[in-house]
Amino acid sequence: MQQGNSLSFSTKQRRCFIYEGEALYQMGEYGKAIEIYDQLIDHGESRAYSLKAYCLAQQKKLNKAIDVCDQGIKEHPDNGEIYCTKYAVLAKQEKYTQGLKVIETALKQKDLENKKEVLFARISAYESMFDFDTAYRYAKAYVKAYPKDANGKKELTFLETR
């Protein structure tokens, strides 16, 4: 496999590397998976930041995972998945207010990718802070925007019972 920023992976090569990293992650080979994700990052693959951060989180290296997310956000500020990953790592530390700020920052991006995922994470953030009224309001808006999303409907139903 070619390495270095000047050379690029084909789409097929990227997919193979992502699958290889995922297999290593599933086997608990986080260090080896991180090596794969580092190669993908070197080749501009934005998703690799989130995948690497999850590996680091599994290794209990939460601060390093946050740093990787910050790097990814700096390089790819419109990628909502990286913001959601950072929120998840912060939530694992029960830093919900700080995590919510990450979500709100993501939603300010003009051409945000994975916006649906970010909007769903916002609902979760408010639930985690026991602000069920706000979570319910956002869940209603989410289901209105994404009426076919089963998880959104399930979340709304749950919040209606609170």
Side-chain angles (χ1 to χ4, degrees):
M1 193 60 60
Q2 299 171 336
Q3 292 187 18
N5 286 331
S6 63
L7 302 173
S8 63
F9 287 154
S10 69
T11 301
K12 185 176 180 180
Q13 288 171 313
R14 284 178 193 269
R15 278 193 222 131
C16 286
F17 262 53
I18 288 172
Y19 292 140
E20 183 179 354
E22 176 64 22
L24 290 165
Y25 176 88
Q26 293 297 327
M27 293 186 308
E29 297 285 340
Y30 305 118
K32 290 179 182 177
I34 287 169
E35 290 175 17
I36 297 293
Y37 297 140
D38 280 338
Q39 289 182 54
L40 286 162
I41 287 168
D42 287 346
H43 286 82
E45 178 62 46
S46 62
R47 185 171 174 218
Y49 288 96
S50 288
L51 298 169
K52 179 179 178 178
Y54 283 125
C55 287
L56 290 165
Q58 288 296 329
Q59 294 177 319
K60 308 268 190 264
K61 297 177 181 176
L62 300 178
N63 289 334
K64 284 187 179 183
I66 294 291
D67 290 344
V68 167
C69 290
D70 287 340
Q71 258 184 296
I73 289 167
K74 182 179 177 185
E75 292 292 321
H76 305 278
D78 296 335
N79 185 307
E81 182 179 358
I82 303 169
Y83 292 92
C84 287
T85 302
K86 184 174 179 180
Y87 165 73
V89 174
L90 289 167
K92 189 173 181 120
Q93 298 174 68
E94 297 183 5
K95 297 179 179 178
Y96 303 115
T97 303
Q98 191 176 345
L100 181 58
K101 289 178 185 176
V102 171
I103 295 299
E104 295 300 335
T105 299
L107 291 171
K108 291 177 185 172
Q109 302 306 308
K110 185 176 179 180
D111 296 317
L112 184 66
E113 300 168 16
N114 309 99
K115 185 174 183 177
K116 181 178 173 183
E117 183 180 349
V118 176
L119 290 169
F120 195 83
R122 178 171 60 181
I123 298 165
S124 176
Y126 279 104
E127 284 180 12
S128 297
M129 296 186 306
F130 301 102
D131 184 347
F132 297 109
D133 291 337
T134 303
Y136 176 68
R137 182 168 43 91
Y138 283 127
K140 283 194 323 189
Y142 181 90
V143 169
K144 185 176 180 180
Y146 306 102
K148 295 181 180 182
D149 186 285
N151 288 328
K153 289 179 184 178
K154 183 178 174 184
E155 198 62 29
L156 180 59
T157 300
F158 166 74
L159 287 165
E160 287 172 338
T161 65
R162 298 297 296 169

